[in-house]
Amino acid sequence: MGFITSQLLHIFTLILFIIIPSSLAQSNSNQFCEAGIGDGCGTGISSSNSKLLIKGGTVVNAHYQQAADVYVEDGIIVAVNPNIRVSDDVTVIDATGKYVMPGGIDPHTHLETDNPFAESVDDFFSGQAAALAGGTTMHIDFVMPVNGSLTAGFEAYEKKAKKSCMDYGFHVVITKWDETVSKEMELMVKEKGINSFKFFMAYKGFDVMVNDELLLEGFKKCKSLGALAMVHAENGDAVYEGIKKMIELGITGPEGHALSRPAVLEGEATARAIRLADFVNTPLYVVHVMSIDAMEEIAKARKSGQRVIGEPVISGLALDDSWLWHPDFDIAAKYVMSPPIRKKGHDEALKAALTNGILQLVGTDHCAFNSTQKALGIDDFRKIPNGVNGIEERMHLLWDIMIESGQISVTDYVRLTSTECARIFNIYPRKGAILPGSDADIIILNPNSSFEITAKSHHSRLDTNVYEGRRGKGKIEVTIAGGKVVWENNELKVVPGTGRYIEMAPYSYVFDGIDKKDAFYLNSLQAPVKRAKSSTSNNF
C-alpha cells in the first residue's frame, strides 16, 4: 500500500510540473498556469538530475572573473575550477563563450498587492515565473499590514507565497505606531526572518503615510533590532497640495501625476529621512531613487560617512517622462508610478551614480496593473493604479544600458544585480555568489545574442509592457534556480510551491561600527556639566 501511495504521489508531482514554451506565452491573454491548470499550459519534466556541470564559461563574481567550470549537486555549488571532470550521470551544460553569473536578486517587488483601486495582476507564481525567464532567481517583496497588524500581514503573505516557484524574502511595512507594533517588530526579526522595515513618507489619505514622529520611533526601533530602515521618500503633504493644484487647473490626465510630485519633493523627503537617520545613527535605505535631487542628497550623506543606501529602479534608468504626455491615454497611463519617471537627464545622472558608487544596487518596483485597471483613472489621474513592470526585464536592460555602453564592468553588473543586495540583506554568500557552498542560483548570459521585449512574449500576466519593442544585446539563455534548470531554449519549466522563504538575519554589514559611533558621540558631548548649586534664592 505504501509503495502504491508513493507511486501515485510521484505521478501527481510529475503532472504538476509545468513547461511554458514561449510560443504559448505569446497569447495576449497570458492565461498563466496555476498548479498545472489553465490555458496555455503544457506538462513535462525539467532536468530532474541533481548533478549539473556548467562547462567552458567565464565565471563572474562581484570582485573577479575567471575561466572555470561550475559543478552543482543537490542545489548547492560544490566546485568552481577549470576542467572539472565528472561521471556520465551528470548533466553537462556548455557555456563556452558565455558568462556564468549569480542569479539576479530583485530587492523591490510588489506581487499580488492591493492598491486602493485594484490588485496587481502578477501573483507569487506568475511574477516569479517572469523573473526566472529574465534571470532573477530571488526577490524581496513588501508585506503590508492588515488593519495595522504586522503579524496578520505576514500570515496573509505567507498564504499568497504558497504558490511560489523561486526563492523569496520579505520586507515589512510600518504604517502606525504603538506598543503592539513595537513588539511585533521584535517578533518579525527574532522569529520570522525579517531584517528590514519600510516607511512611506507619501500617499497622504491612504493610511500608510507616516509623520516625522513615527519615523523617528521606527528608526530607533530598527536600530535596536539591527534591522534596516527603508523609506519611500516623497513629501506627502506637499504632493497632496500638488494634486489639488493640478485638479484646479483642469489637468486630470497622466501628466498631472508627474506634475503634482516634482523632483524637488523627492529630494526634500530624502534629505529629511537622511538627517533623521543620522540623528538616530542608524543605516538608511532609500527605495526607488528616481531623481537627481534625491541622488545628490544620498551622495552628500555618503561623502560625510553616513550609512545610506540608494536603490534606483530599472524604469528610472531606461525611460523618461515623455510617455506621460502621449495623446493616447492607454499608453500614457501605463507609465504612471511613484515617484514618477523623470525628465530626460535624470536617467543619465542615475546611471553615472551607479558607475561611481553613489547608488549601490538596482531594483524594479515591479507592480503590474493591466490596461483595464489603469483605465479606472481615465478622467482623474488620482485613480490610476501606480506601478510598472520590470521583474523580467531588469537584468537584460541593465546589461544593455550599462555594459554595452561601457559604463560598468561585468563584475560591477553582478554586484549591482545580485551580490550587493545579498550583502545588504545578510544572505551573502548563500546568495549572490558563484562559490562552493552557495545556493546554485545561476544564469548563463550570451553577450553576443540579442533580446527583444514585447507584451506578446513576456511571462507576466500584464497585457502591456512599458519597454515594448526594446531591443538590445546580452541574452540570458539559461536560468538555474536551486540547482534546477528552469529557463532554457526559451522555455520555462517551473513548479508552483517549490519556492522557499529565505530568512534574513539582522545586523548585516551596514551596521558595522554603529556602536563605536554611538560611543564616540557620547564621549564628545562634554555633558552634563557639573555645576555648584546657586547660593542665591528668589524670595519675593
Side-chain angles (χ1 to χ4, degrees):
M1 186 68 178
F3 173 77
I4 294 172
T5 302
S6 65
Q7 290 298 305
L8 289 173
L9 180 61
H10 178 65
I11 291 169
F12 181 68
T13 302
L14 298 188
I15 292 171
L16 280 180
F17 226 115
I18 301 167
I19 296 182
I20 307 169
S22 59
S23 60
L24 294 176
Q26 288 176 1
S27 166
N28 279 332
S29 61
N30 273 313
Q31 296 290 325
F32 235 86
C33 310
E34 293 280 352
I37 302 171
D39 296 339
C41 292
T43 58
I45 306 300
S46 73
S47 173
S48 59
N49 196 340
S50 62
K51 300 177 182 179
L52 294 174
L53 178 67
I54 304 168
K55 192 167 184 62
T58 300
V59 174
V60 186
N61 280 297
H63 304 296
Y64 66 96
Q65 62 185 73
Q66 64 180 129
D69 301 339
V70 180
Y71 178 59
V72 171
E73 240 182 64
D74 298 324
I76 302 296
I77 296 171
V78 175
V80 183
N81 289 306
N83 303 314
I84 296 175
R85 295 189 177 185
V86 293
S87 57
D88 293 340
D89 64 339
V90 176
T91 300
V92 178
I93 301 173
D94 185 7
T96 302
K98 303 170 186 178
Y99 290 112
V100 179
M101 300 183 284
I105 307 173
D106 190 339
H108 189 153
T109 62
H110 298 277
L111 301 182
E112 204 171 334
T113 190
D114 289 322
N115 176 282
F117 305 107
E119 181 180 84
S120 59
V121 296
D122 277 327
D123 61 19
F124 276 81
F125 179 63
S126 68
Q128 290 183 354
L132 291 168
T136 289
T137 54
M138 180 178 170
H139 71 112
I140 312 177
D141 214 85
F142 288 88
V143 169
M144 294 299 298
V146 174
N147 297 323
S149 169
L150 309 190
T151 302
F154 187 87
E155 290 172 351
Y157 273 75
E158 279 185 312
K159 291 178 181 176
K160 292 179 182 183
K162 286 185 181 297
K163 64 191 77 167
S164 291
C165 57
M166 77 179 196
D167 291 355
Y168 61 95
F170 287 137
H171 314 289
V172 173
V173 176
I174 305 298
T175 59
K176 68 173 190 176
W177 191 258
D178 56 29
E179 190 59 32
T180 300
V181 171
S182 177
K183 289 179 179 177
E184 283 189 306
M185 287 177 71
E186 291 185 32
L187 175 72
M188 291 292 116
V189 172
K190 294 176 180 178
E191 298 183 19
K192 302 297 185 181
I194 299 295
N195 68 2
S196 52
F197 296 93
K198 181 180 179 182
F199 303 85
F200 283 97
M201 301 172 74
Y203 298 121
K204 183 174 182 177
F206 289 107
D207 297 324
V208 296
M209 178 177 152
V210 302
N211 58 24
D212 287 356
E213 180 183 7
L214 194 156
L215 210 53
L216 281 166
E217 292 295 336
F219 283 2
K220 288 190 294 181
K221 191 65 179 181
C222 283
K223 179 182 178 180
S224 73
L225 295 171
L228 186 57
M230 312 175 78
V231 289
H232 171 133
E234 290 182 286
N235 186 314
D237 289 319
V239 168
Y240 188 77
E241 288 302 309
I243 291 171
K244 288 198 298 183
K245 181 189 293 185
M246 292 305 111
I247 298 300
E248 288 169 1
L249 291 171
I251 302 171
T252 59
E255 71 279 8
H257 176 79
L259 292 170
S260 70
R261 47 207 318 141
V264 65
L265 301 186
E266 185 186 352
E268 186 280 331
T270 302
R272 181 158 38 98
I274 286 171
R275 283 159 176 75
L276 293 178
D278 188 39
F279 177 67
V280 174
N281 186 29
T282 196
L284 181 69
Y285 183 115
V286 184
V287 305
H288 48 42
V289 177
M290 298 294 283
S291 66
I292 294 171
D293 305 55
M295 179 271 290
E296 288 182 341
E297 295 295 340
I298 293 167
K300 185 164 58 176
R302 288 178 63 84
K303 186 176 180 180
S304 73
Q306 192 176 343
R307 310 288 177 82
V308 181
I309 297 159
E311 170 215 270
V313 290
I314 195 64
S315 56
L317 303 173
L319 303 169
D320 64 66
D321 74 345
S322 60
W323 291 101
L324 292 166
W325 272 260
H326 197 282
D328 186 325
F329 171 86
D330 288 340
I331 292 175
K334 71 181 181 180
Y335 293 91
V336 170
M337 63 175 292
S338 295
I341 298 164
R342 303 296 184 187
K343 292 182 183 298
K344 192 69 179 172
H346 289 274
D347 54 340
E348 296 301 326
L350 295 177
K351 285 181 267 188
L354 283 171
T355 301
N356 61 31
I358 292 170
L359 302 175
Q360 288 70 52
L361 73 170
V362 178
T364 64
D365 195 9
H366 180 93
C367 191
F369 297 99
N370 62 31
S371 53
T372 301
Q373 293 171 315
K374 291 280 189 176
L376 292 169
I378 194 166
D379 296 316
D380 186 346
F381 69 81
R382 294 173 294 181
K383 297 178 182 178
I384 301 173
N386 286 202
V388 302
N389 59 289
I391 200 169
E392 183 170 358
E393 297 81 12
R394 176 185 69 131
M395 300 287 283
H396 283 114
L397 286 171
L398 194 69
W399 181 277
D400 188 59
I401 290 169
M402 300 297 286
I403 292 286
E404 291 301 317
S405 65
Q407 293 183 74
I408 61 172
S409 67
V410 180
T411 53
D412 287 334
Y413 176 82
V414 169
R415 174 176 55 82
L416 294 171
T417 59
S418 183
T419 306
E420 191 59 23
C421 183
R423 293 183 68 233
I424 290 167
F425 295 104
N426 221 7
I427 51 176
Y428 181 86
R430 178 181 180 182
K431 303 288 187 183
I434 305 291
L435 295 171
S438 298
D439 285 357
D441 296 341
I442 302 168
I443 59 172
I444 300 174
L445 185 146
N446 186 343
N448 298 313
S449 187
S450 299
F451 66 86
E452 181 179 3
I453 298 171
T454 70
K456 289 183 178 180
S457 62
H458 71 202
H459 297 82
S460 165
R461 283 184 173 145
L462 198 55
D463 62 342
T464 62
N465 194 306
V466 293
Y467 311 103
E468 183 68 36
R470 186 94 176 221
R471 294 179 174 88
K473 286 193 70 177
K475 180 170 173 54
I476 294 158
E477 296 184 339
V478 179
T479 303
I480 298 165
K484 301 288 185 183
V485 177
V486 294
W487 171 253
E488 189 178 27
N489 299 322
N490 291 323
E491 286 189 350
L492 262 175
K493 305 173 183 181
V494 290
V495 181
T498 54
R500 300 172 299 177
Y501 173 61
I502 305 299
E503 294 191 5
M504 299 180 289
Y507 293 104
S508 74
Y509 86 93
V510 296
F511 280 87
D512 293 350
I514 289 291
D515 54 341
K516 293 179 181 178
K517 190 175 178 182
D518 280 338
F520 181 82
Y521 166 75
L522 292 173
N523 291 332
S524 70
L525 293 178
Q526 299 181 345
V529 175
K530 294 182 180 179
R531 295 181 176 88
K533 291 185 178 180
S534 175
S535 58
T536 61
S537 59
N538 297 320
N539 295 320
F540 297 99

